Amino acid sequence: MDRPLRVAALASGRGSNLAALIAARLPVEFVLVGSDKARAGALAVATEAGIPTVSLHPRDFATRADFDRALFGHVAASGADLLVLAGYMRIVDADVVAAWEGRAINVHPSLLPKYRGLHTHRQCLEAGDAEHGASVHFVTAELDGGPVVAQARIPVLPGDTEISLAERLLVEEHKLLPAVVAAIASGRLRWEGGAIFDGLPLTRPLGLTDL
Ligand code: GAR
């Protein structure tokens, strides 16, 4: 590509992953940040960085699919090559997601396929796991279910709580997500019906040191 990768992001919350992505100063152009929450911190992060924003209210739409079509319509209109779900906490309509196959990634706070959905830190502690982690995966219609491309791991320490685990893991998320976006921007990581890294089909999740 003879121009920077155009990146759009969707976020529902405070936007620390979005902030880390922007702070990484990657050779990408952020074209839009969208949210389902008008007060999402991520929108303020984007505005501060001079990135256009859009927020739509799900209750203003008759159906979930109508909302998804509208929000993803904005994403498509932004000209984004890549869509990053950075703490976007809604399940997206399968047909709407299908149009972004291989062009959308999500960061999730667990070692997928363990612990999809919510309360991943609690689930990790309750299971007595020795390690926890974060995953970046290509988005499919299945919630937190698409092919995993990269993971970062942390040990579970004696005395860890949901809060301490979440805090330590967030530090890793903030490295992992920019590293994956950098790999996509450089062409090292691409999608051809499956994830390809450095010319070979990806057979196991990459670690931070691979990226
Ligand atoms: C992050 O921990 C991210 O992994 C998680 O939401 C948090 C958003 O924090 N995403 C999911 O759980 C997706 N299923 P942030 O708004 O500070 O980036």
Side-chain angles (χ1 to χ4, degrees), residues 13-18 86-89 106-109 117 144 170 173:
R14 70 198 146 177
S16 73
N17 274 288
L18 175 67
Y88 185 64
M89 303 306 276
N106 178 43
V107 59
H108 181 71
D144 302 325
L170 204 56
E173 291 184 41

Side-chain angles (χ1 to χ4, degrees), residues 5 21 26 28 82 84 104-107 135-138 148-151 173-190 197 206-208 211:
L5 188 80
L21 202 51
L26 304 176
V28 304
L82 175 70
V84 177
I105 58 171
N106 178 43
V107 59
S135 304
V136 173
H137 66 92
F138 280 104
V148 177
V149 290
Q151 291 183 321
E173 291 184 41
H174 292 170
K175 295 181 216 159
L176 193 65
L177 184 60
V180 172
V181 173
I184 293 172
S186 71
R188 288 186 80 191
L189 178 62
R190 56 200 166 80
F197 184 69
L206 301 164
L208 269 169
L211 285 160

Side-chain angles (χ1 to χ4, degrees), residues 10-12 32-40 43 53-61 63-75 88 90:
L10 294 180
S12 305
L32 183 72
V33 172
S35 185
D36 57 322
K37 300 256 191 297
R39 294 180 175 201
L43 293 174
T53 63
V54 62
S55 77
L56 301 182
H57 199 315
R59 288 212 198 107
D60 292 340
F61 295 83
T63 67
R64 171 183 290 275
D66 285 347
F67 172 82
D68 291 345
R69 275 192 288 271
L71 187 57
F72 278 69
H74 283 280
V75 173
Y88 185 64
R90 285 176 64 86

